[in-house]
Amino acid sequence: MPYRSPLSELRFHLDHVAGLSQVAATPRFAEATPDTVGAVLSEAARLCDEVLAPLNRSGDLHPAKLENGVVRTSPGFAEGYRAIAEGGWVGLSADSRWGGAGLPLTVATAVNDMMSGACLALQLNPLLTQGQIEALSRHGSPDLQTFYLPKLTSGDWSGIMALTEPQAGSDVGALTTRAEPDGNGAFRITGEKIFISWADNDFTENVSHAVLARLPGAAPGTKGISLFVVPKYLPNGDGTSGEANALRVLKLEHKMGLHGSPTAVLAYEGAKGWLVGPPHGGMACMFTMMNNARLGVGVQGIGIAEAAFQAALDWATTRRQGGAGAIVEHADVRRMLAQMKADLFAARAIALDCAVALDMAQATSDPAWAARAAVLTPIAKAFGTDVGHEVAQAGIQLHGGMGFIEETGAAQYARDVRVTSIYEGTNGIQALDLVGRKLSDGGEAVGRLLDEVEDAAARARADLPDLAGPVWRAAESLREATDWLLDHPADRGAGAAPYLRAFARVLGGRAHLRAAMAGDGARRRLAAFYARRCLPEVPGLLAQARDGAEAVLAVTPADLSS
Amino acid sequence: MPYRSPLSELRFHLDHVAGLSQVAATPRFAEATPDTVGAVLSEAARLCDEVLAPLNRSGDLHPAKLENGVVRTSPGFAEGYRAIAEGGWVGLSADSRWGGAGLPLTVATAVNDMMSGACLALQLNPLLTQGQIEALSRHGSPDLQTFYLPKLTSGDWSGIMALTEPQAGSDVGALTTRAEPDGNGAFRITGEKIFISWADNDFTENVSHAVLARLPGAAPGTKGISLFVVPKYLPNGDGTSGEANALRVLKLEHKMGLHGSPTAVLAYEGAKGWLVGPPHGGMACMFTMMNNARLGVGVQGIGIAEAAFQAALDWATTRRQGGAGAIVEHADVRRMLAQMKADLFAARAIALDCAVALDMAQATSDPAWAARAAVLTPIAKAFGTDVGHEVAQAGIQLHGGMGFIEETGAAQYARDVRVTSIYEGTNGIQALDLVGRKLSDGGEAVGRLLDEVEDAAARARADLPDLAGPVWRAAESLREATDWLLDHPADRGAGAAPYLRAFARVLGGRAHLRAAMAGDGARRRLAAFYARRCLPEVPGLLAQARDGAEAVLAVTPADLSS
């Protein structure tokens, strides 16, 4: 069964759950009229269904290869990429000064959702470029912006991130790549980077590497890191690509999935680069790029969940077992499918809420919106990718023996999505970010968000008591757990992961409530399922979140190996 | 880091948790003295660590192949298999009349655990033979037994199961393979079977297929199914293998994992076979084979959980991030490892409890033991394989980016173990078995088991109040949920999966309690972790189990596709 972009579902989210209308009501995004957005989404859906989805299996069966130092991408990927670039999809939310469409990130998020479901391995390429556009727009010098942004926005060049080193993964402060001034305003970059997604390709004119490195005399740790752009080909004065820069792809990794996306070990051997942002200010630049990418990765999980759910539902409604009808008639199968759909709905709503907050922060400069986005980003990333993993795994399970056979495609979704819980900060790191940095305002931003959830539940109480009550109670217990974590900073790490999950459950509850208020019987029944089958997880999760570090750390490394 | 068989951990389980001593106290198993068992386990561990574990990656990288109709197994597998057969491991719990060692299944289960962790793909082969030995021992005619059992027990022949057909998976009653009497006491089998694990190999003299088929005039559904043995080579009168039987391997599947185990589509083209058990009595024979295999598959999950845990722990104690020490020092990483170990312990204890019940049933002929085994089998299968999946996935996560790279090995564990939640009855089918057939005694067997759990908790209350209290309360709420399900038969299917999970959590609680009573501080700390971090899941699970079918079935197929 071919993937079909969930166009009407996304329209429902934008119109009735995420509230794109408030974004479109700002002068900044006045062009995002319902007609324009509708046309954009329909055109994106056509691209996804007709051009990208047919490439997905090819990427898995014919991984990108390294031949004599040159990356050869999977069959059809070059054509697929050109369709993305020529359609203007890379720069959908980029500034019109650089040739972008200037639409809200919320709309770009819906498009990325569809593209992820169609062909995750290829979609990762423009997603990374979008992160670099964001970073250069915020932190690049006017010269860098004028030179790079039009090429990245058009997709003529792609942009990648080179952060990780063998000894510096989650601990980015441990990196050792060096940057030496060349005396002409540029720098010479030397070091080795690993796990570099789309480090190279054979379909863009040039590849702009965003590289973290240390200037001479830089402080140790994250305070001594600077960001550079390092192009694969050194640009000529006229903007054309000139001679090759001193960097090499040393190898491509053999991965569990996402075979169509080349993941490289890169060597910078005195490669020429240019500073982005102030010296030693690389972390702030990286977080601009990374926060954007974190939301984008959460959306990757959601796109795969959509694709895996479609395939599982198709199987369940056509596969007959047990005499009577299709297996969807069995209660346990129905339960699994309802859970998949309810979780997918919740994860998508959280991601779009996060995108709306980012758009509103940009449109209004109100710091409350930025703080809202900051809280939602780790939840959108971790829950979106967890749901992607869980739905894809449930998809395998629903297919029975066929799920384990590669031809079915269910296994590929599960293998491809697996890395999304890891890259751009593991989901454990997201949880630590949530209970750490994102509570560092004393819980103010979280408190405001929970106020809104409780207000929504209170307003819905008369109409939908069976939904509103559980959502309100879950939000209130999350508030109590938040207060507990605020009072027990040393216990936050041990409770971070279940706290994030409970937070996502509460936000999912609000989203289902909104859907039930605005939607038809189907929305109400799915929301009721969520309230009765998903929200009951919350007390157990919060009991873990508030249990403290003692029982966890009491299990010593020696205990673990005994 | 190479796999190391968990010898002392298994000894602790047998001596202090599962209670092998009560099995050894029966006349039937009097030979299972501590010295004998210790020597057997040590020898098995040597085989696993030195011979089988080194084959694991080879099986993944060099899948079994079909060449001109002949299966070529992965490099080294033939030698590995010979070491298993020559060591007498296939027939470890088989009757000494047929050359078996006659040891308790409990001991064989511990050995299978180690072998699964060492090389799951190869271990599946003798596991299937053990199921066929069991079926023939119980249901075969004296002639069949005399002829087949010595060859299967020695491992000279392997035994496989051919049940599934394209239209008959979980619904075995839909199968259409035909068996026609040949007038000389044998039958001609015609039909196609799919998903046949180890359908063929290039290292045993012969392969005995246990095939489900229909006799002429058989009733429709499961009541018209009979079991046959169909050898790959027709045996000569002297027991040697003669001409090829009329069966063919049509193709091998391209699977997500377990590449070393050939999974075939088989055609029987008038193949000669012999009836096992009475005509139309195939389901009873199948369940003998299958119940044994279900426990065995649960143990496969446990073996993989052990191997994945070892690898993750090694990584976490050597990988440094975040300045200070190894990542095991981070609370969230410690939490994940403690959860992996605590769940592994619980799953292993449940499997060994099930094996003890089967041994006691055999040794005492007390139907209460058989009923106990019947209750524990679906839990051991589903929870063992769920834990295998969860621990292997957590192992990937703990490795960070390295987890997604195939060379690390973490991904292989996750890919290999994935099918164990599906084959021998999906875990959904196990849950339905638990709430259906296994409650068909009015909950008597479950009630007796819960009495024991509560008694154990009550006895431990003085010593370990923080553990005993939560275990007792969880058992009591499980009892209430059981009563509810007994009163609401139409709601059982919709609550089956969370009910099974909650049941496993309660049994895991008893196991940790036993360990804490018998063990050192490390055992007590792990048990405390389990009580504080795993048991809190139970109320949420039981709320789902008791929620009924209404909210689930309210979400219609049309809702799902809207």
Side-chain angles (χ1 to χ4, degrees):
Chain A
M1 208 241 5
Y3 169 79
R4 284 284 161 252
S5 292
L7 205 46
S8 63
E9 181 72 7
L10 282 165
R11 287 306 302 265
F12 182 84
H13 270 278
L14 295 178
D15 294 344
H16 300 295
V17 188
L20 177 62
S21 56
Q22 67 182 317
V23 175
T26 65
R28 167 71 184 81
F29 293 117
E31 285 176 36
T33 61
D35 281 357
T36 299
V37 171
V40 163
L41 293 182
S42 297
E43 188 57 24
R46 200 197 53 75
L47 172 75
C48 291
D49 297 357
E50 295 174 16
V51 180
L52 303 183
L55 302 175
N56 193 43
R57 184 137 171 79
S58 155
D60 191 50
L61 291 176
H62 309 289
K65 282 183 295 202
L66 185 64
E67 288 178 359
N68 303 319
V70 176
V71 169
R72 304 281 177 215
T73 60
S74 303
F77 272 38
E79 292 74 16
Y81 181 80
R82 268 192 286 277
I84 294 172
E86 287 166 11
W89 300 108
V90 181
L92 191 63
S93 63
D95 199 295
S96 55
R97 274 198 295 166
W98 318 119
L103 284 169
L105 183 64
T106 306
V107 177
T109 295
V111 171
N112 284 345
D113 181 334
M114 296 191 274
M115 281 195 194
S116 302
C119 185
L120 192 70
L122 181 54
Q123 184 268 348
L124 179 57
N125 184 303
L127 181 66
L128 291 165
T129 304
Q130 288 166 358
Q132 192 169 123
I133 291 172
E134 185 75 10
L136 288 177
S137 299
R138 298 256 198 112
H139 305 286
S141 67
D143 279 1
L144 279 183
Q145 290 184 341
T146 308
F147 200 83
Y148 280 79
L149 284 174
K151 293 174 192 305
L152 293 168
T153 299
S154 67
D156 290 342
W157 293 17
S158 64
I160 62 155
M161 277 194 252
L163 316 179
T164 303
E165 298 180 10
Q167 77 297 343
S170 297
D171 179 21
V172 68
L175 67 83
T176 61
T177 293
R178 302 188 319 276
E180 317 260 351
D182 73 351
N184 293 312
F187 296 83
R188 294 290 174 181
I189 313 291
T190 306
E192 193 173 307
K193 297 283 180 178
I194 61 169
F195 298 152
I196 309 308
S197 296
W198 280 106
D200 201 5
N201 69 68
D202 52 8
F203 48 67
T204 61
E205 237 177 81
N206 206 345
V207 180
S208 169
H209 298 218
V211 183
L212 289 180
R214 292 185 182 285
L215 290 166
T222 54
K223 292 200 171 72
I225 292 174
S226 307
L227 183 68
F228 301 85
V229 284
V230 181
K232 174 183 174 187
Y233 296 112
L234 291 167
N236 298 320
D238 62 359
T240 58
S241 298
E243 61 174 314
N245 206 345
L247 58 89
R248 282 189 303 143
V249 176
L250 297 184
K251 82 177 232 209
L252 298 186
E253 303 290 358
H254 173 210
K255 309 194 301 294
M256 183 185 192
L258 220 59
H259 296 160
S261 156
T263 302
V265 179
L266 273 180
Y268 297 94
E269 299 166 329
K272 195 167 179 179
W274 287 268
L275 186 65
V276 179
H280 316 307
M283 287 305 283
C285 304
M286 184 195 81
F287 272 115
T288 297
M289 198 160 58
M290 193 94 146
N291 275 333
N292 188 306
R294 283 179 172 177
L295 169 58
V297 170
V299 172
Q300 291 190 318
I302 293 160
I304 290 291
E306 172 70 39
F309 173 73
Q310 287 184 15
L313 179 61
D314 181 67
W315 174 260
T317 51
T318 52
R319 170 71 172 169
R320 289 168 190 284
Q321 288 272 292
I327 61 171
V328 72
E329 298 303 331
H330 293 283
D332 187 55
V333 170
R334 190 83 64 86
R335 177 189 64 81
M336 290 172 73
L337 287 164
Q339 172 105 40
M340 293 159 86
K341 191 174 174 88
D343 282 346
L344 166 56
F345 180 85
R348 184 173 268 148
I350 292 168
L352 289 169
D353 275 349
C354 182
V356 164
L358 286 163
D359 282 329
M360 293 303 290
Q362 199 196 335
T364 67
S365 301
D366 178 348
W369 278 115
R372 168 68 48 88
V375 168
L376 290 175
T377 297
I379 304 172
K381 195 278 182 181
F383 189 64
T385 58
D386 280 350
V387 165
H389 171 66
E390 290 161 19
V391 171
Q393 291 291 344
I396 291 177
Q397 192 68 23
L398 268 171
H399 277 85
M402 288 303 294
F404 199 60
I405 307 296
E406 286 290 354
E407 280 74 7
T408 312
Q412 187 190 340
Y413 292 132
R415 289 187 291 97
D416 284 356
V417 81
R418 189 61 188 81
V419 73
T420 63
S421 304
I422 296 171
Y423 64 21
E424 303 306 334
T426 65
N427 286 2
I429 293 287
Q430 305 301 323
L432 295 176
D433 178 50
L434 180 63
V435 298
R437 197 186 308 250
K438 305 307 165 63
L439 289 185
S440 64
D441 63 354
E444 197 185 314
V446 166
R448 272 199 308 270
L449 180 52
L450 293 179
D451 289 345
E452 284 183 24
V453 175
E454 292 185 1
D455 286 351
R459 281 195 306 276
R461 189 160 285 157
D463 275 352
L464 299 165
D466 294 346
L467 298 180
V471 172
W472 193 92
R473 285 193 295 279
E476 188 57 20
S477 61
L478 180 63
R479 187 194 297 279
E480 290 164 9
T482 306
D483 290 343
W484 191 91
L485 289 175
L486 284 165
D487 289 344
H488 297 82
D491 289 308
R492 290 186 197 172
Y499 176 77
L500 185 148
R501 177 94 183 177
F503 210 137
R505 280 272 167 257
V506 168
L507 295 174
R510 176 176 66 164
H512 276 287
L513 208 51
R514 285 174 174 167
M517 294 289 279
D520 59 5
R523 299 281 174 195
R524 292 195 170 208
R525 291 187 287 272
L526 194 67
F529 176 91
Y530 185 87
R532 292 168 68 163
R533 291 287 183 144
C534 303
L535 286 180
E537 271 182 28
V538 172
L541 289 167
L542 292 179
Q544 294 174 61
R546 299 174 60 160
D547 187 58
E550 187 205 328
V552 170
L553 297 177
V555 180
T556 64
D559 289 356
L560 290 167
S561 60
S562 72
Chain B
M1 208 237 8
Y3 170 80
R4 284 284 159 252
S5 291
L7 206 45
S8 64
E9 181 71 7
L10 282 165
R11 288 305 303 264
F12 181 83
H13 269 278
L14 295 178
D15 293 345
H16 300 294
V17 187
L20 177 62
S21 56
Q22 66 182 319
V23 175
T26 65
R28 168 69 185 83
F29 293 117
E31 284 176 35
T33 61
D35 281 358
T36 299
V37 171
V40 164
L41 293 182
S42 297
E43 188 59 22
R46 199 195 54 73
L47 171 75
C48 291
D49 298 357
E50 295 174 15
V51 180
L52 303 183
L55 301 175
N56 193 44
R57 184 137 171 78
S58 156
D60 191 50
L61 290 176
H62 309 289
K65 282 183 294 203
L66 185 64
E67 288 177 357
N68 303 320
V70 176
V71 170
R72 305 282 176 213
T73 59
S74 304
F77 272 37
E79 293 74 16
Y81 180 80
R82 269 193 284 277
I84 294 171
E86 285 167 11
W89 299 108
V90 181
L92 190 63
S93 63
D95 199 295
S96 56
R97 274 197 295 165
W98 317 119
L103 284 169
L105 183 63
T106 308
V107 177
T109 296
V111 170
N112 284 347
D113 182 335
M114 296 191 275
M115 280 196 195
S116 302
C119 185
L120 191 70
L122 181 54
Q123 183 268 349
L124 178 57
N125 184 301
L127 180 67
L128 291 165
T129 304
Q130 288 166 359
Q132 190 168 126
I133 291 171
E134 186 73 11
L136 288 177
S137 299
R138 299 256 197 110
H139 306 284
S141 67
D143 278 1
L144 278 184
Q145 290 184 340
T146 309
F147 200 82
Y148 280 79
L149 284 173
K151 294 175 192 305
L152 291 168
T153 299
S154 68
D156 290 342
W157 292 18
S158 64
I160 63 155
M161 276 193 252
L163 316 180
T164 302
E165 298 180 11
Q167 76 297 346
S170 297
D171 179 20
V172 69
L175 68 83
T176 61
T177 293
R178 303 187 319 274
E180 317 260 351
D182 73 352
N184 292 312
F187 297 82
R188 293 291 175 180
I189 312 290
T190 306
E192 193 173 308
K193 297 282 181 178
I194 60 168
F195 298 153
I196 309 308
S197 297
W198 280 106
D200 200 7
N201 69 69
D202 52 7
F203 49 67
T204 62
E205 237 178 82
N206 206 344
V207 180
S208 169
H209 299 217
V211 182
L212 288 181
R214 293 186 181 284
L215 289 166
T222 54
K223 293 201 169 74
I225 293 173
S226 307
L227 183 69
F228 301 85
V229 284
V230 181
K232 173 183 175 186
Y233 296 110
L234 291 167
N236 298 319
D238 62 359
T240 57
S241 298
E243 61 173 314
N245 206 345
L247 57 89
R248 281 188 304 143
V249 176
L250 297 184
K251 83 175 232 208
L252 298 186
E253 302 290 358
H254 173 210
K255 308 194 301 295
M256 183 184 192
L258 219 61
H259 296 160
S261 155
T263 301
V265 178
L266 273 180
Y268 297 95
E269 299 165 329
K272 194 168 181 179
W274 288 266
L275 185 66
V276 180
H280 316 306
M283 287 304 283
C285 304
M286 184 195 81
F287 272 115
T288 298
M289 198 161 57
M290 193 93 144
N291 275 332
N292 189 305
R294 284 179 171 178
L295 170 58
V297 170
V299 171
Q300 291 190 318
I302 293 160
I304 290 292
E306 172 70 39
F309 174 74
Q310 288 185 14
L313 180 60
D314 182 68
W315 174 260
T317 51
T318 52
R319 169 71 172 169
R320 289 169 190 283
Q321 287 273 292
I327 60 171
V328 72
E329 299 303 332
H330 293 282
D332 187 55
V333 171
R334 190 83 64 84
R335 177 189 64 81
M336 289 172 74
L337 287 163
Q339 172 104 38
M340 292 159 85
K341 191 174 174 88
D343 283 345
L344 167 56
F345 180 85
R348 185 174 267 147
I350 292 168
L352 290 167
D353 276 351
C354 182
V356 164
L358 287 163
D359 282 330
M360 293 304 290
Q362 197 195 338
T364 67
S365 301
D366 179 347
W369 279 115
R372 168 66 49 90
V375 168
L376 290 176
T377 296
I379 305 172
K381 195 279 182 181
F383 189 64
T385 57
D386 280 349
V387 165
H389 171 65
E390 291 161 19
V391 171
Q393 291 291 345
I396 291 177
Q397 193 67 23
L398 268 170
H399 277 85
M402 289 301 294
F404 198 60
I405 307 295
E406 285 290 354
E407 281 74 5
T408 312
Q412 188 190 340
Y413 291 132
R415 289 185 292 99
D416 284 355
V417 81
R418 188 63 188 82
V419 73
T420 63
S421 304
I422 296 170
Y423 64 21
E424 302 307 334
T426 65
N427 286 2
I429 293 287
Q430 305 301 321
L432 295 177
D433 177 52
L434 180 63
V435 298
R437 196 186 308 250
K438 305 307 164 64
L439 290 185
S440 63
D441 64 353
E444 197 185 315
V446 166
R448 273 201 308 270
L449 181 50
L450 293 180
D451 289 346
E452 284 184 25
V453 174
E454 292 185 359
D455 286 352
R459 281 196 307 277
R461 190 160 284 157
D463 276 352
L464 298 165
D466 295 346
L467 298 181
V471 172
W472 192 92
R473 284 192 295 277
E476 188 57 19
S477 59
L478 180 64
R479 186 194 298 279
E480 291 164 8
T482 306
D483 290 342
W484 190 91
L485 289 174
L486 285 164
D487 289 345
H488 297 81
D491 291 307
R492 289 186 197 172
Y499 176 76
L500 185 148
R501 177 92 182 179
F503 211 138
R505 280 271 167 257
V506 167
L507 295 173
R510 175 175 68 164
H512 276 288
L513 208 52
R514 285 173 173 166
M517 295 289 278
D520 59 5
R523 300 279 176 197
R524 292 194 170 209
R525 290 187 288 272
L526 193 67
F529 176 90
Y530 185 87
R532 292 168 67 164
R533 290 287 185 145
C534 303
L535 286 180
E537 272 181 28
V538 172
L541 289 166
L542 292 178
Q544 294 174 61
R546 298 174 60 161
D547 187 58
E550 186 206 330
V552 170
L553 296 178
V555 181
T556 65
D559 289 356
L560 290 167
S561 60
S562 71

